[in-house]
Amino acid sequence: MTLLEQLPILVVVVPLFVAPLLAMVASRGRAPWLIATVTSAVTFLIAIGLTAQVLQTGTIYYELGNWPVPFGIGLAIGPFSALMVLIISGASLAALVAGAQSMDSEVGEQHQSLLYSCWLLALAGLIGITVTGDAFNVFVFMEISSLASYVMVANGPNRRALTASFTYLVTGTTGATFYLIGVGYLYMMTGTLNLADMADRLADVSDTLPVLIAGGFLILGLALKAALFPMHAWMPNAYQFAPTPVAVFFAACSTKVALFVMLRFDFVVLLPNLGDQAYFLSSLLIPLCVAAFLVGSAVAIFERDLKRMLGYSSVAQIGYIVLAISLVSSAGITAAVVHFFNHALMKAALFTAVAGIVLRFGSANLDQLAGLGRRMPLTMLGFVIAGLSLIGVPLTAGFISKWYLIQAVLEEPGLGILLTILILTSSLMAVVYIWKVVEVAYFKAPATGSLDDIKREEAPMPILVTLWVLVAANIWFGIDPELPLSLANMEAFDLMGGGR
Amino acid sequence: MMLETILGLFTLTMVAIVAIATIMSSNLFVASMWFGIFSLLMASNFFILDAADVALTEAAVGAGVSTVLFMGALALTAEKETIRMRTNWLPVAALVALSLVLFVATFEQPVLGDINAPVHQHVAPWYIEKTPEYINIPNIVTAILASFRGYDTLGEVLVIFTAGIGVLSVLSFKPKSKQSLSGEQLGQKVRGVQHHVILRVVGKLIIPILLLFGLLVQFHGKYSPGGGFSAGALFAAAVMLYGILEGADRSEAAMPQRIMLRLAALGATLYTGVGIACMLLGGHFLDYNVLWSNPVTGQYVGILLVEFGVGLTVTTVLVMIFNAIANRPTYQA
């Protein structure tokens, strides 16, 4: 087989193979970081190759051990999977490039090789989930990525990282167990674990109690993992207490993977076979989503810690995404997929800026950030532009997201106008919390001395470069959203059976 | 048939009773003992259902290793549960609702052992029919785990590896301040049952038997129930027994954490490496057929190698976790 044909598995195997070796490397100097970064870069390159391939030929399949599906495990990389792989590996690379110095200041040297090993395991796990076409395989890779994530959060600089990690562990494990119960029931009723095969075979047993209950467990479990309101409590904590580079990585992609699986299950397996009940399940989610973006944004306004504030903002963004999924329409899927991509861009940028701020100020608490705009003008400018994207100002990626989301919502008879108003309200709240940061950064006088005394002290070069590349991407994809949009449209077409 | 039904009912009733007893007991030591009994009952139940592989693993891991780990964790914390004054009704309500839902699902699910159930009609017949032809080993479970669904098993090995380095990174680093215990004091503190002569003598007799049985389970897994996971748990149990009898400082001296970490990584690397070797030889990832001129021999070699990787990682990770937890008390004070 040619190298090109092996790409689908290589994107998982490369980090998976390097991770254990990295744990053996002596935890001294920059070597562990360098290995992790290079591996991440290679993975990112493979992801680009895969995306190009998918854009050309459509969904790619790969059979592990050359066993035919559904007897063996098959990978299936559709347009959305390719986009996810791109987001995950890109986020990992960006966070690593920007994060070396933050990691040094927050995590003891002796812990670093184990931590970076966990990083690669999380990377491989998250990618593994998105490329597989097998329901149980999703669970296995979910375990790898979750376990590695708990460890990374637990290694945070503050002792409260341990409790944050414990809450995350309990919630995450409950979510994974629910997912497993759901898959177990579906296996019981169909005798297969392959997603496509499962969808076919469910037709015979649709509308039976176990299948319905499986659907409930799957959605609930994945919602827990995705931190959908009101099951979000673990997330802002985890973001706040994890080492900052880890927060950059997670904020861009980790909960989205659970949403990805939810979308896959919802459209491939459940909707075609549960009939009205699946719509009922979706419509149950809509009020939760509305609550998510209203409450998430409202809480973000009152948070004083930047990382927590952004965490609650993510709760709101997850609300938008699930809302788009719950609409069960082509436009909804397009909106969700586009926002997956754009939200990753803006949150990665915002958290990268925060990483720089934490490095210079030693804190992400707003009360201590007076004079930020004077001390680190470039970092702060990046933060503001990414913040504008988060709000959804035209010419930024966020605007494209909101545009498609509102279009999708307006297709919904009856609810459309109301939902649009609510989305706009939530966006206005985003203006408030971003403005709050701007106010402190540019206008508030520091406790001692005046604004003019502050010396300029930018974030280190790697952070600045990463930040501005991400900011540029936010603007680029705000003007020319061709890449995420074409993948999103392909996916919507695939999932809705040709524009149903 | 009749006897099996009665035994099944008996073990399941006991499971329910033991589960309630576990929740009710506020003494955590007692609760972890109940947990051990729970696992043993589940293992018997799996055995009654003819799932010998699962039963073996459950007995070794659930009843053996995890009980020891619970005890090690209890040595670090208090033995008694903190009693809460107010009952929190939300989890209770959630659990009741969940049980009801699971109960309702049983109304329409296939009857246990029904030959027409979907699980027996779709992929299972293929495995039964094709295993002799493609892999030619009697234990189909091993064929599925190590070859047909070998990618999942690789994932599980990495899960275990992650757990190992997780425990290591959280527990196993000594604080920067000076070591406050001398070597001798340290030994005194962790050598729990050293003065019980009978326990030590009898206990040590069991160690070689455990190791021997572990070897059997590891290498005979193609013919009889077993394989790397259960074998690894058995090997680790032998080391833990040694640690309990002779002191955890000695089990760590015999099996230093750094070496355990390297071996664990090696096991995982071996598994992934076999997969990559298959790719280099022109096949798919984990396609053992290409490993040998004869595909069936190739499967045999591949399974042997990856099972060895599994056994190595499971053993070393469990030993690593045990040593990290059992030696933790000496880091403080």
Side-chain angles (χ1 to χ4, degrees):
Chain A
M1 291 183 75
T2 61
L3 189 65
L4 208 61
E5 289 168 309
Q6 301 279 20
L7 284 187
I9 188 66
L10 277 178
V11 77
V12 183
V13 165
V14 167
L16 209 56
F17 184 71
V18 179
L21 298 175
L22 182 50
M24 292 201 263
V25 172
S27 197
R28 241 174 282 123
R30 280 285 157 81
W33 172 82
L34 191 68
I35 296 173
T37 309
V38 170
T39 313
S40 233
V42 171
T43 314
F44 186 54
L45 289 179
I46 300 175
I48 293 175
L50 268 179
T51 312
Q53 228 174 319
V54 169
L55 276 172
Q56 244 170 31
T57 60
T59 307
I60 311 173
Y61 299 93
Y62 186 92
E63 284 166 347
L64 271 312
N66 208 13
W67 299 116
V69 292
F71 311 109
I73 298 168
L75 305 183
I77 306 183
F80 191 16
S81 311
L83 190 71
M84 283 302 292
V85 177
L86 212 56
I87 294 174
I88 297 165
S89 54
S92 163
L93 182 62
L96 280 170
V97 168
Q101 248 182 323
S102 311
M103 210 66 126
D104 285 345
S105 76
E106 291 178 17
V107 179
E109 197 175 41
Q110 52 181 358
H111 293 251
Q112 284 197 3
S113 68
L114 291 186
L115 187 73
Y116 284 120
S117 173
C118 279
W119 186 301
L120 289 185
L121 285 165
L123 174 66
L126 293 171
I127 294 179
I129 296 171
T130 53
V131 296
T132 189
D134 189 281
F136 186 74
N137 199 235
V138 167
F139 174 74
V140 171
F141 279 86
M142 204 185 260
E143 273 188 287
I144 300 181
S145 64
S146 318
L147 214 50
S149 311
Y150 309 146
V151 176
M152 290 203 281
V153 173
N155 271 299
N158 189 313
R159 277 189 73 78
R160 284 176 67 192
L162 290 173
T163 41
S165 168
F166 186 69
T167 321
Y168 185 13
L169 183 142
V170 172
T171 323
T173 311
T174 312
T177 310
F178 282 2
Y179 175 81
L180 191 61
I181 293 176
V183 171
Y185 272 118
L186 289 180
Y187 178 67
M188 180 171 74
M189 300 309 285
T190 60
T192 184
L193 290 168
N194 183 283
L195 280 172
D197 193 35
M198 196 181 259
D200 285 347
R201 291 179 57 86
L202 265 181
D204 299 338
V205 287
S206 59
D207 270 335
T208 54
L209 279 174
V211 175
L212 186 62
I213 287 169
F217 269 108
L218 283 169
I219 301 284
L220 189 62
L222 292 167
L224 264 169
K225 282 244 161 225
L228 178 64
F229 181 86
M231 294 162 274
H232 62 277
W234 60 268
M235 189 180 71
N237 271 321
Y239 285 6
Q240 185 184 2
F241 294 110
T244 316
V246 174
V248 178
F249 180 26
F250 284 0
C253 62
S254 85
T255 62
K256 291 201 189 68
V257 171
L259 289 177
F260 168 84
V261 180
M262 190 194 272
L263 189 141
R264 261 264 188 94
F265 255 104
D266 210 13
F267 284 91
V268 177
V269 179
L270 297 178
L271 278 178
N273 295 307
L274 279 181
D276 294 342
Q277 273 143 342
Y279 287 92
F280 175 69
L281 220 55
S282 294
S283 58
L284 267 184
L285 285 177
I286 292 182
L288 282 188
C289 301
V290 173
F293 59 70
L294 291 179
V295 175
S297 304
V299 176
I301 293 179
F302 294 103
E303 283 296 343
R304 300 301 292 173
D305 186 283
L306 276 184
K307 290 186 195 170
R308 277 186 88 78
M309 183 191 93
L310 293 176
Y312 276 104
S313 143
S314 284
V315 171
Q317 307 294 322
I318 288 162
Y320 295 140
I321 293 177
V322 181
L323 174 66
I325 297 174
S326 311
L327 295 174
V328 199
S329 63
S330 270
I333 298 175
T334 309
V337 176
V338 168
H339 196 45
F340 263 83
F341 183 74
N342 291 342
H343 179 241
L345 288 181
M346 47 184 118
K347 269 291 147 59
L350 288 166
F351 266 97
T352 309
V354 171
I357 294 170
V358 171
L359 204 56
R360 289 288 175 251
F361 281 78
S363 161
N365 195 308
L366 276 180
D367 300 329
Q368 294 166 28
L369 298 184
L372 171 62
R374 289 286 179 94
R375 193 163 161 194
M376 335 174 55
L378 279 177
T379 315
M380 194 53 209
L381 186 61
F383 184 93
V384 172
I385 297 176
L388 291 178
S389 182
L390 186 71
I391 294 165
V393 174
L395 296 184
T396 61
F399 174 71
I400 306 289
S401 292
K402 290 268 161 67
W403 177 260
Y404 280 96
L405 179 64
I406 288 176
Q407 268 192 341
V409 165
L410 282 177
E411 277 184 10
E412 195 78 354
L415 277 173
I417 305 290
L418 177 66
L419 286 175
T420 311
I421 294 172
L422 292 173
I423 291 170
L424 292 177
T425 314
S426 169
S427 303
L428 286 178
M429 288 169 159
V431 177
V432 176
Y433 60 76
I434 294 295
W435 175 254
K436 201 178 61 172
V437 184
V438 171
E439 198 175 85
V440 170
Y442 290 113
F443 303 115
K444 198 177 152 203
T448 51
S450 73
L451 272 175
D452 301 318
D453 301 340
I454 296 167
K455 279 201 204 74
R456 197 172 151 183
E457 192 186 11
E458 274 302 343
M461 207 30 105
I463 291 188
L464 267 189
V465 171
T466 315
L467 172 63
W468 279 94
V469 166
L470 287 167
V471 168
N474 265 299
I475 295 170
W476 176 281
F477 289 109
I479 297 168
D480 176 24
E482 171 61 25
L483 171 77
L485 206 57
S486 57
L487 287 167
N489 283 330
M490 273 169 85
E491 183 71 24
F493 188 80
D494 285 357
L495 286 181
M496 298 304 287
R500 167 156 41 110
Chain B
M1 180 64 210
M2 195 57 198
L3 182 68
E4 280 180 11
T5 317
I6 294 170
L7 279 176
L9 274 176
F10 174 73
T11 48
L12 283 179
T13 317
M14 290 302 284
V15 162
I17 295 172
V18 169
I20 293 169
T22 317
I23 299 171
M24 300 303 274
S25 67
S26 61
N27 185 320
L28 295 175
F29 182 79
V30 176
S32 53
M33 287 300 136
W34 280 122
F35 259 135
I37 299 171
F38 180 89
S39 292
L40 209 57
L41 284 167
M42 283 313 282
S44 344
N45 200 46
F46 291 145
F47 190 74
I48 294 167
L49 292 172
D50 284 338
D53 291 82
V54 190
L56 193 60
T57 315
E58 175 70 38
V61 175
V65 172
S66 58
T67 313
V68 174
L69 293 182
F70 277 136
M71 284 161 60
L74 283 181
L76 297 177
T77 58
E79 197 173 289
K80 277 286 229 179
E81 186 181 9
T82 325
I83 305 290
R84 252 180 237 186
M85 285 328 223
R86 201 166 48 84
T87 317
N88 194 348
W89 288 105
L90 186 69
V92 179
L95 275 181
V96 170
L98 223 59
S99 322
L100 275 178
V101 167
L102 289 174
F103 180 66
V104 168
T106 57
F107 293 153
E108 286 185 11
Q109 70 190 37
V111 180
L112 183 68
D114 180 5
I115 188 83
N116 292 316
V119 279
H120 299 303
Q121 290 295 325
H122 189 45
V123 289
W126 188 90
Y127 290 136
I128 296 170
E129 188 191 330
K130 301 288 182 184
T131 302
E133 181 188 335
Y134 290 136
I135 302 180
N136 196 20
I137 58 172
N139 188 355
I140 297 172
V141 176
T142 302
I144 296 174
L145 282 186
S147 186
F148 296 129
R149 295 190 69 91
Y151 184 53
D152 274 346
T153 312
L154 168 65
E156 291 298 348
V157 172
L158 281 145
V159 170
I160 290 170
F161 177 75
T162 316
I165 59 176
V167 171
L168 208 61
S169 80
V170 175
L171 282 185
S172 195
F173 287 98
K174 308 197 175 186
K176 281 218 177 85
S177 59
K178 60 184 178 0
Q179 179 86 28
S180 45
L181 287 174
S182 70
E184 202 164 329
Q185 288 169 310
L186 183 149
Q188 297 272 311
K189 204 160 179 178
V190 281
R191 272 173 220 155
V193 296
Q194 217 181 8
H195 53 282
H196 295 286
V197 178
I198 298 176
L199 268 182
R200 279 181 69 196
V201 172
V202 178
K204 270 200 220 164
L205 280 178
I206 300 177
I207 294 177
I209 300 174
L210 264 179
L211 290 174
L212 199 63
F213 186 53
L215 281 175
L216 172 83
V217 169
Q218 170 79 47
F219 291 106
H220 212 253
K222 286 172 230 52
Y223 306 99
S224 57
F229 284 101
S230 16
L234 286 168
F235 289 134
V239 178
M240 289 176 188
L241 190 58
Y242 178 77
I244 291 170
L245 296 173
E246 290 292 321
D249 60 325
R250 288 202 184 151
S251 70
E252 184 168 338
M255 305 208 151
Q257 296 291 65
R258 281 184 44 229
I259 301 200
M260 290 298 105
L261 174 63
R262 283 178 169 66
L263 288 178
L266 199 69
T269 309
L270 177 63
Y271 202 140
T272 325
V274 169
I276 293 176
C278 298
M279 285 161 79
L280 292 178
L281 289 169
H284 285 234
F285 186 67
L286 292 174
D287 179 3
Y288 310 138
N289 282 354
V290 296
L291 288 177
W292 211 267
S293 49
N294 174 3
V296 176
T297 320
Q299 287 289 337
Y300 189 88
V301 172
I303 292 177
L304 194 75
L305 286 173
V306 300
E307 284 282 6
F308 182 72
V310 174
L312 188 61
T313 300
V314 172
T315 310
T316 46
V317 163
L318 288 178
V319 169
M320 203 155 81
I321 294 177
F322 171 75
N323 280 338
I325 293 178
N327 285 309
R328 182 73 188 174
T330 61
Y331 294 173
Q332 286 138 9

